[in-house]
């Protein structure tokens, strides 16, 4: 997996997922949706894209049901048509995806984490070394 980004707000027993994104090999996926924390109900609107020899194909998908029994089906566009997009180069969405997923509620970027160059610095930062 190259990157995974998720930004969610939790309220009233529901997770509002305003950013969902994954890049793994030839597959990328973006979207948004809701997840019921108690009911486990899904309502996800996703756009998966499969890369094929420098180009790709995608179609909108809605996932409903529950975590244990998800139901995926092609989702119609705003004009009621089902669309498949073929062609175009695959953009590198990881930087924008990760940036959006790191934003806090106020819309400001979360502080960057300190990168540890030495194993002892990492262990000290985790509280495992004094």
């Amino acid at each position: 997996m190259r990157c995974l980004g998720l930004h969610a707000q939790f309220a009233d027993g529901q997770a509002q997922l305003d950013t969902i994104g994954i890049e793994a090999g030839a597959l990328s996926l973006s979207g948004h949706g809701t997840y019921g924390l108690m009911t486990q109900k899904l309502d996800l609107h996703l756009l998966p894209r499969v890369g094929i020899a420098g180009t790709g194909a995608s179609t909108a998908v809605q996932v409903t049901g529950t975590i244990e029994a998800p139901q995926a089906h092609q989702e119609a566009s705003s004009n009621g048509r089902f669309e498949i997009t073929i062609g175009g180069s695959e953009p590198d969405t990881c930087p924008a995806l990760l940036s959006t997923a790191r934003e806090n509620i106020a819309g400001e970027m979360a502080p960057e984490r300190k990168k540890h160059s030495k194993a002892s610095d990492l262990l000290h930062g985790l509280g495992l070394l004094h």
Side-chain angles (χ1 to χ4, degrees):
M1 181 173 303
R2 181 167 179 252
C3 71
L4 167 68
L6 179 70
H7 186 265
Q9 295 183 25
F10 300 89
D12 302 321
Q14 198 166 58
Q16 180 69 39
L17 308 165
D18 56 29
T19 303
I20 301 170
I22 298 172
E23 282 193 17
L27 176 66
S28 65
L29 177 135
S30 61
H32 66 279
T34 59
Y35 171 67
L37 300 173
M38 302 302 253
T39 63
Q40 296 188 349
K41 284 191 174 184
L42 297 167
D43 183 20
L44 304 176
H45 304 271
L46 307 172
L47 186 62
R49 178 180 168 82
V50 177
I52 305 165
T55 190
S58 63
T59 188
V61 174
Q62 182 177 18
V63 179
T64 57
T66 64
I67 289 288
E68 291 184 7
Q71 300 171 2
H73 58 274
Q74 190 176 13
E75 186 171 28
S77 65
S78 60
N79 64 9
R81 295 182 179 181
F82 294 95
E83 301 173 356
I84 296 175
T85 303
I86 299 174
S89 62
E90 192 163 354
D92 183 3
T93 58
C94 264
L97 169 67
L98 295 176
S99 175
T100 302
R102 278 194 307 250
E103 288 183 6
N104 63 24
I105 293 173
E108 300 171 1
M109 290 296 294
E112 288 291 321
R113 290 184 182 178
K114 179 181 175 187
K115 293 183 174 93
H116 297 282
S117 60
K118 298 180 187 175
S120 62
D121 288 344
L122 178 60
L123 293 173
H124 187 329
L126 294 171
L128 300 174
L129 186 66
H130 299 284

